[in-house]
Amino acid sequence: AELVVAELAAASRRISDRYAAIYERLQQASSSAEEVSAMQAFLESCEKQLQQLQAAIDHELFGRLELLSDVQHTLEDEVVSGVYTTAAWPVRLQQAADGAERQLEEDRMTFQQQLRDDQDTLNAELEAWEVDIRALAKLGDISKTEENAAHVAQLQAKLDDGKARAALYNSREELFEWGITEYPQLGELNRRLEVHLNLWTTAVSFQRSFPVWMDGPFLELSPEQVDNDVATWWRQLYKMGKALVGLEGPLQVVAHVKLKLEEFKAHLPLIHAMLNPGMRERHWRRVKDEAGRSVQPNEMSTLHSLIAQQVGDHLAIIQEASETASKEHSLEKALDRMLGEWKPVPFDCVEYRDTGTHILRGLDEIQSLFDDHIVKTQAMRGSPFVKPFEIRMREWEVKLMSMQ
C-alpha cells in the first residue's frame, strides 16, 4: 500500500506540473502576428495533450485511489489535497483555454489592423522615396560629394529596409491567410537608384583616393591597385554616362571624374616604372648617369613632388631601366625559387651492407629535380640579364653539377 501511495503522490505531482506548464503558456500575451499564430497552433495542439492528461488522471490517480479504498488504506491529508488539486486542473485549464481563445481573437484583430496600418505607412514612404530619387537628377555639385554620397547611401538603406518590411508583411499576410500584396514600386526604385548609388560611390572613392595618390608617400603606392582603381572607375563612369542621359546634374559629375581620371592616367607609366619591385640601386645609378641628375624617390617623395621636379621628362630613361630591372628580377626570383624547392626534399641515407658507409636511396625524385634545375640554370646563364648575379648563378650551377 505504501508503494501505491508513493506512486500516487508522484503521479499527482507529474500531472499537475504538466497542467501548470500548459496554463502558464496560455497566460502569455501575444506581442506580434507571429506570436498570435504560435498561440493558435498551441491551442490546437492542447486538445490532444488534455485528453492524455485526463486519461492519466482517470488511470494513474483515480485508479490508485480506488485500489487503496478497496484495502481501506487511509491517506495523509497532504496526499489527498494534492490529488484533488490535480483533479481540478481540467476545469481550471478549460477556463484558461476559453480565455486564451477570446484574447487570441482580440489580438488577431489588433495585429491585422496593425498590418494594414504598416502597409499604408510603407506605401506612403514609397511615394516619398520616389520623390527623393527623382530629385537626385539635380545633384551635380562635386564639392558636396561626401554629402551626396551619404544621402544616396541613406536612400539605399531605406529601400533595403522597405524590402525587408515588405517581406515581413507578406509573411504575416500568409499567417492571416490573406492574399499576398505585391510591391513592384520597390524593385523599380531600386533599379533607378542603383546608377546614382554607383555614381556617388565612385565619385567619393576617387575623391578620397586622389589626395593619397598625389600627396601620400609615393613609395607606399601600389601600382597595380592604382591602375585597377583607375580602370574600374573609368569603365563604370563610361556606363553611367549612358544610363544617366538627360540627367544634367549627375552627368556633370561623370564628366568631372572622367576628366580627372584621364588626366591622372598620364602619370601611370611613371608610377609603374618607378615603383617596379625589381629596381635596385644599380638601376637608379644608371638613370642618374643618363638623366644627369638623381630622380630616385625617397620616404619624403610624393607623386606631386615628383611631377613638380619634372621627373616625367626622364620617363623613357626610367622605363628602360625598369624593363631591365623586371627581367633581372624575374631571373633572380627563378633562382630563389629553385633554391627553395630543395628545402623540403628528403635525403634518405641507409647503411650500405657492412661497409660502414651510407648511400642515398629513392633517388628518382632527386635526380629528376637535378635534371630540371640544371636545364633551367644553363638557360638562365645564357640570358644577358643575369650579369648582376652571374657569380651566384655560376656557383649554383657548379653545385648542381657536382652533386649530380
Side-chain angles (χ1 to χ4, degrees), residues 13-60:
R13 287 191 298 271
R14 184 177 66 255
I15 295 170
S16 182
D17 288 345
R18 289 184 62 189
Y19 271 114
I22 296 173
Y23 181 84
E24 183 178 354
R25 177 67 181 89
L26 292 175
Q27 299 303 304
Q28 293 177 5
S30 298
S31 60
S32 67
E34 288 75 17
E35 291 184 5
V36 167
S37 179
M39 179 60 79
Q40 178 67 51
F42 181 75
L43 281 169
E44 292 173 358
S45 70
C46 278
E47 183 176 353
K48 184 176 181 180
Q49 293 186 61
L50 294 179
Q51 290 176 353
Q52 294 172 343
L53 289 172
Q54 184 61 61
I57 289 175
D58 294 340
H59 176 70
E60 298 187 40

Side-chain angles (χ1 to χ4, degrees), residues 321-342:
S322 181
E323 289 173 7
T324 299
S326 292
K327 294 172 181 177
E328 292 174 356
H329 187 53
S330 177
L331 290 174
E332 192 170 17
K333 285 199 301 183
L335 176 57
D336 291 337
R337 192 159 48 247
M338 282 193 290
L339 292 171
E341 288 175 356
W342 282 102

Side-chain angles (χ1 to χ4, degrees), residues 205-223 225-231 233 260-261 264-265 267-268 271 275 301-307:
S205 296
F206 171 75
Q207 193 173 76
R208 292 170 182 174
S209 296
F210 188 72
V212 176
W213 296 343
M214 295 301 297
D215 300 310
F218 182 74
L219 294 178
E220 294 182 10
L221 292 179
S222 166
Q225 185 63 54
V226 173
D227 202 20
N228 180 69
D229 287 343
V230 170
W233 294 338
K260 286 290 187 180
L261 286 173
F264 185 79
K265 280 183 180 181
H267 304 309
L268 289 176
I271 294 173
L275 293 178
S301 298
T302 65
L303 179 57
H304 190 274
S305 69
L306 294 173
I307 295 171

Side-chain angles (χ1 to χ4, degrees), residues 191-400:
R191 185 190 66 79
R192 288 165 53 188
L193 181 62
E194 182 179 10
V195 66
H196 293 282
L197 181 65
N198 290 340
L199 170 62
W200 290 105
T201 300
T202 300
V204 79
S205 296
F206 171 75
Q207 193 173 76
R208 292 170 182 174
S209 296
F210 188 72
V212 176
W213 296 343
M214 295 301 297
D215 300 310
F218 182 74
L219 294 178
E220 294 182 10
L221 292 179
S222 166
E224 292 74 18
Q225 185 63 54
V226 173
D227 202 20
N228 180 69
D229 287 343
V230 170
T232 300
W233 294 338
W234 199 95
R235 286 195 304 270
Q236 290 175 343
L237 289 165
Y238 178 78
K239 294 178 182 178
M240 291 175 206
K242 294 184 175 181
L244 292 166
V245 170
L247 304 182
E248 183 178 352
L251 285 176
Q252 290 176 356
V253 178
V254 170
H256 175 82
V257 180
K258 279 183 68 177
L259 178 60
K260 286 290 187 180
L261 286 173
E262 284 291 347
E263 292 173 350
F264 185 79
K265 280 183 180 181
H267 304 309
L268 289 176
L270 184 65
I271 294 173
H272 277 281
M274 297 190 73
L275 293 178
N276 184 338
M279 289 288 280
R280 301 289 186 266
E281 286 297 327
R282 62 181 180 272
H283 302 116
W284 290 114
R285 285 195 298 270
R286 170 185 165 186
V287 171
K288 180 181 179 181
D289 292 343
E290 295 185 21
R293 66 188 179 102
S294 175
V295 295
Q296 183 176 2
N298 55 43
E299 291 78 6
M300 302 301 294
S301 298
T302 65
L303 179 57
H304 190 274
S305 69
L306 294 173
I307 295 171
Q309 295 166 20
Q310 299 180 329
V311 171
D313 293 349
H314 309 292
L315 177 59
I317 296 173
I318 298 171
Q319 284 181 319
E320 185 179 352
S322 181
E323 289 173 7
T324 299
S326 292
K327 294 172 181 177
E328 292 174 356
H329 187 53
S330 177
L331 290 174
E332 192 170 17
K333 285 199 301 183
L335 176 57
D336 291 337
R337 192 159 48 247
M338 282 193 290
L339 292 171
E341 288 175 356
W342 282 102
K343 290 182 179 179
V345 176
F347 284 78
D348 188 12
C349 295
V350 294
E351 187 174 355
Y352 183 65
R353 298 179 181 175
D354 298 324
T355 63
T357 62
H358 290 72
I359 62 172
L360 284 171
R361 68 177 177 183
L363 291 175
D364 290 346
E365 180 182 351
I366 295 174
Q367 186 62 55
S368 176
L369 196 57
F370 268 126
D371 294 341
D372 180 49
H373 283 189
I374 288 172
V375 171
K376 287 181 179 179
T377 301
Q378 290 175 342
M380 292 163 62
R381 279 279 317 277
S383 170
F385 299 100
V386 77
K387 188 174 181 180
F389 42 94
E390 186 174 13
I391 295 176
R392 184 182 172 208
M393 184 69 75
R394 188 182 300 114
E395 290 176 348
W396 174 240
E397 183 182 17
V398 170
K399 181 178 291 186
L400 286 174

Side-chain angles (χ1 to χ4, degrees), residues 178-189:
W178 292 358
I180 300 301
T181 301
E182 299 291 339
Y183 297 94
Q185 195 175 4
L186 260 177
E188 176 62 19
L189 292 179

